[in-house]
Amino acid sequence: MPDHPHPTRRHRYLIIGAGPSGLQLSYYLQQTGSDYLTIERAPAPAEFFRHFPRHRRLISLNKTHTTSDDPEIKLRWDWNSLLHEPADLPFPHYSHDYFPHADDMVRYLTDFHHHHKLNIQFDTPAHHIDRTPHGFTVHTDHHTIHAQCLIVATGWGHPHIPDIPGIEHATGYETMSTDPTHYTNHRVLILGKGNSAFETASALLGHAAMIHLASPRPLRLAWNTKHPGDVRGHHGAVLDSYQFKTLHSVLDCVIDDIRPLDNRYQVHLTYTHADNETAVMEYDTVLRCTGFTMDTTPFTPHTRPHLAPNRRMPATTPDWQSTNIDGLYFAGTIAQDHDFKRASSAFIDGFRYNLRTLTHLLRERYDNQPLPHTHHQPDPDTLTTLILDRVNWSSALWTQFEYLSDAIVIDPDKPARHYQDLPENHIRQRFQHHPYYYTISLRWGRDPHPDVFHIRRHPQPDRAAESAFIHPVIRRYHGPNLTDELHLLEDLLAEWRRPDRHITPLHTWLTTHLT
């Protein structure tokens, strides 16, 4: 009997993946009345969070008690809610824990899908993705889907497995036992020094005889880097144990070889910062906690996207489009090429804003809808008020510091145009042929400090560029060139409205350039 071809469906936008990024983008496209379909290989949303993190506590903050009742301000410390209006389904309705349980995230995302009646087809894996002259063709078990624009929101697809001889003897984070008694009196080597490695080490502290965490590069602590994906302070007990000589250690080394030896493993290593010193260690258990990587297997060879230098995520343009496949976009945690290890695009609290902006950019390209903006008089009084209102209120600029910016475009004899929440590299690309434009963002002071808890401050407006805490930065561009920059003084409560420290310096600076 001949095979029957699958039924064909056509949509302008096809989203692959119904995790938090797929749900967020589906919501935005649905709100605009766009022709979209989302497909998901699992039978329900939030498949990743049904399995990870393995010890079930998220590292995304859930600060439910704040000093403000403004929903926009509260989002600065609610790292788990998806954006929606009215905001009648916030994540804090599901948990009051500062570090929530992953099962609460599953319940939240499932309810978000049902509450907004999103157009998602489950149990529909994308087996084959191909580029066509008119867009993309995606083959599934049920349909052949044609789409003009394809957005991949699949999250991480596979564990990242380092190229180490004998790595097959390590047990992966995705399959290891999470019962700490399983490791009682074991010597444990954990490959990796990220949050999954420290999450695992923290769970084993009261049971393992010795825990070593190993990777070639030094440990990155979030309180030093300001990046929420680096090792967080609540894993401090592991670092205490290291410094208090308990035999638990954090090693900077290259793992040269893992060999089975009777009921143990013999591990050959070379220390990174010790004049090439080598060692041979024995462990009862080797655990691989080295993160994840994108799955590119569904793409045909001529549709496969180029990858970023770390080979784990796609290389993208400033508008989250593939660098080599026109019309192929990426959403969510895999779309962090441009702010990797800086802002929060790897997390819900960051990419929810990216996706709001991506929706505007997609609608501009495919639906001929102008990029939203407002008009203002280009005078110092008006723009000082506009800028200070934005930095004091926006949760997007707060969360996506040093990445998303507002733009104010100045053209001769025309009102100023104000655009919100665009990547700064996209702003420079988009407005490079305009005479002058300004970017408004929030930034950390990046001067090195030996002790981030002991920093000498200089609270004078003319020394605002030395601020260590997050603070507003306004930049002036002429074409592609940065011509001037103003820092406004940091403030403990993130309230930048003092006449002497914020209003007058900004007004004076704008007056210099606008008159």
Side-chain angles (χ1 to χ4, degrees), residues 177-192:
S177 172
T178 56
D179 178 1
T181 63
H182 178 82
Y183 306 94
T184 298
N185 209 35
H186 280 207
R187 297 182 175 203
V188 179
L189 172 64
I190 299 176
L191 304 178

Side-chain angles (χ1 to χ4, degrees), residues 47-75:
E47 179 67 9
F48 182 86
F49 290 103
R50 297 175 192 273
H51 304 279
F52 302 104
R54 294 299 314 284
H55 295 89
R56 309 308 290 150
R57 283 290 165 184
L58 303 177
I59 62 172
S60 49
L61 303 185
N62 183 41
K63 190 171 184 284
T64 59
H65 303 289
T66 69
T67 58
S68 175
D69 293 327
D70 187 320
E72 176 72 11
I73 298 294
K74 290 169 75 72
L75 281 169

Side-chain angles (χ1 to χ4, degrees), residues 43 60 79 81 113 127 130 132 150 159 263 287 302 419 424 432 494 509 515:
S60 49
W79 290 13
S81 291
H113 158 57
H127 294 303
D130 199 9
T132 70
L150 179 64
N263 294 323
L287 302 177
H302 70 278
Y419 299 83
E424 185 156 341
Q432 62 180 312
W509 188 79
T515 59

Side-chain angles (χ1 to χ4, degrees), residues 191-487:
L191 304 178
K193 292 203 292 269
N195 278 297
S196 63
F198 272 81
E199 164 205 332
T200 301
S202 296
L204 305 188
L205 275 181
H207 297 269
M210 183 178 76
I211 304 170
H212 288 172
L213 297 93
S215 73
R217 288 180 291 275
L219 177 66
R220 287 172 55 97
L221 296 172
W223 62 50
N224 288 324
T225 66
K226 313 299 188 292
H227 177 60
D230 289 331
V231 175
R232 306 288 287 281
H234 63 282
H235 294 310
V238 177
L239 298 176
D240 283 352
S241 297
Y242 175 31
Q243 298 295 343
F244 293 157
K245 307 177 291 297
T246 65
L247 299 184
H248 302 319
S249 299
V250 179
L251 308 179
D252 291 354
C253 65
V254 173
I255 304 299
D256 300 311
D257 191 33
I258 303 170
R259 305 175 187 176
L261 180 67
D262 298 327
N263 294 323
R264 290 187 172 186
Y265 298 97
Q266 187 180 79
V267 176
H268 296 244
L269 56 87
T270 302
Y271 291 106
T272 310
H273 315 295
D275 298 329
N276 295 317
E277 179 188 9
T278 62
V280 179
M281 308 287 289
E282 290 189 3
Y283 299 97
D284 301 289
T285 302
V286 180
L287 302 177
R288 170 178 43 77
C289 299
T290 50
F292 297 88
T293 189
M294 177 187 174
D295 180 13
T296 62
T297 55
F299 294 93
T300 61
H302 70 278
T303 311
R304 189 161 294 138
H306 290 166
L307 298 181
N310 66 7
R311 311 299 296 170
R312 297 197 196 186
M313 63 187 71
T316 59
T317 60
D319 61 351
W320 300 287
Q321 186 176 191
S322 169
T323 56
N324 65 305
I325 305 296
D326 184 53
L328 174 60
Y329 292 81
F330 297 93
T333 192
I334 58 173
Q336 53 171 307
D337 179 21
H338 289 275
D339 67 324
F340 182 63
K341 293 292 186 182
R342 289 195 296 117
S344 292
S345 291
F347 298 88
I348 291 174
D349 68 310
F351 65 62
R352 61 190 178 190
Y353 302 106
N354 296 354
L355 295 177
R356 183 168 63 188
T357 298
L358 176 60
T359 302
H360 295 319
L361 295 173
L362 294 177
R363 295 269 294 162
E364 180 185 38
R365 175 177 179 178
Y366 293 100
D367 297 307
N368 297 315
Q369 295 298 311
L371 189 66
H373 61 277
T374 55
H375 293 96
H376 304 269
Q377 289 300 314
D379 61 76
D381 289 346
T382 300
L383 297 189
T384 294
T385 299
L386 173 65
I387 291 170
L388 292 182
D389 283 349
R390 283 291 292 162
V391 297
N392 279 281
W393 184 73
S394 169
S395 59
L397 298 181
W398 174 271
T399 304
Q400 289 294 69
F401 57 86
E402 302 176 11
Y403 180 55
L404 293 185
S405 303
D406 281 12
I408 298 175
V409 181
I410 306 294
D411 288 318
D413 303 320
K414 293 182 180 179
R417 286 175 289 144
H418 175 219
Y419 299 83
Q420 296 184 8
D421 306 336
L422 297 174
E424 185 156 341
N425 51 359
H426 176 78
I427 293 172
R428 295 198 306 270
Q429 182 183 80
R430 186 185 190 96
F431 299 118
Q432 62 180 312
H433 300 299
H434 289 261
Y436 292 101
Y437 56 93
Y438 298 82
T439 63
I440 300 98
S441 62
L442 295 176
R443 297 180 178 272
W444 291 93
R446 291 301 185 181
D447 292 335
H449 299 286
D451 184 349
V452 295
F453 298 105
H454 184 200
I455 299 174
R456 180 173 293 279
R457 298 172 55 247
H458 304 285
Q460 294 89 39
D462 60 347
R463 300 188 70 173
E466 300 174 52
S467 294
F469 194 60
I470 195 168
H471 62 281
V473 178
I474 302 90
R475 291 176 168 175
R476 186 176 192 259
Y477 286 89
H478 176 57
N481 301 313
L482 176 64
T483 62
D484 202 0
E485 179 177 271
L486 175 71
H487 292 247

